Amino acid sequence: MKKIILNILATTGISLVALALVATCYDATLICIDTVFQVLGLNVIIYIGLYFMDYIEYRYPILETGLKLLYVMILVLLGGWIWGWYSNLPGVVLILMTIGIFVVCVCLDTVSLLSEVKSINILIEGEGQSKNISL
């Protein structure tokens, strides 16, 4: 649960930074506080769905990633329609932002996973050495 909350907050932060960069390109001067909570709420909904998608066995990893991206894209586009984001931001820009944020999050998740694997390997090597000493 702690990891999911951390991922939600990290993704929200990344989303808001990306939104600020895009807004700067459009000469915007502020991001409304409503938008911050909309992005947070959307990320909560996204991660709830991703949590349940992890219970499905996928034959191909690329299919899993593609389905997750499609799911996120649909929710973002639906959120844009519900909250009226299209009046300030073209849909194509929203799609490109979503893909960019998704790629960043997948890369960060991969780095985190590699760190966990290294920690597990160190623990396994430590147990192996202690067993050799006790023999």
Side-chain angles (χ1 to χ4, degrees), residues 4 17 20 33 44 46 61 64 67 70 76 80 83-84 89 92 95 101 103-105 108 110 112 114-115 119 125:
I4 291 175
V17 168
I33 195 73
V44 168
I46 287 170
E64 177 182 6
L67 286 175
L70 181 65
V76 168
W83 289 306
L89 188 69
V92 174
I95 290 171
I101 293 166
V103 168
V104 168
C105 290
L108 289 175
T110 302
S112 174
L114 288 174
S115 174
S119 299
E125 289 174 2

Side-chain angles (χ1 to χ4, degrees), residues 113-127:
L113 186 62
L114 288 174
S115 174
E116 289 178 23
V117 168
K118 285 181 184 178
S119 299
I120 292 170
N121 283 339
I122 290 170
L123 289 173
I124 291 172
E125 289 174 2
E127 285 183 16

Side-chain angles (χ1 to χ4, degrees), residues 7-72:
N7 285 345
I8 289 170
L9 294 176
T11 305
T12 300
I14 293 167
S15 301
L16 292 174
V17 168
L19 184 61
L21 289 171
V22 169
T24 303
C25 293
Y26 283 93
D27 294 327
T29 56
L30 61 96
I31 295 177
C32 295
I33 195 73
D34 290 348
T35 305
V36 173
F37 290 111
Q38 291 167 359
V39 170
L40 176 63
L42 183 61
N43 280 314
V44 168
I45 294 168
I46 287 170
Y47 273 94
I48 288 171
L50 291 177
Y51 175 79
F52 288 112
M53 287 179 82
D54 284 339
Y55 285 109
I56 300 171
E57 258 327 290
Y58 300 97
R59 188 173 198 144
Y60 305 104
I62 193 77
L63 176 65
E64 177 182 6
T65 304
L67 286 175
K68 287 181 178 181
L69 178 59
L70 181 65
Y71 166 74
V72 170

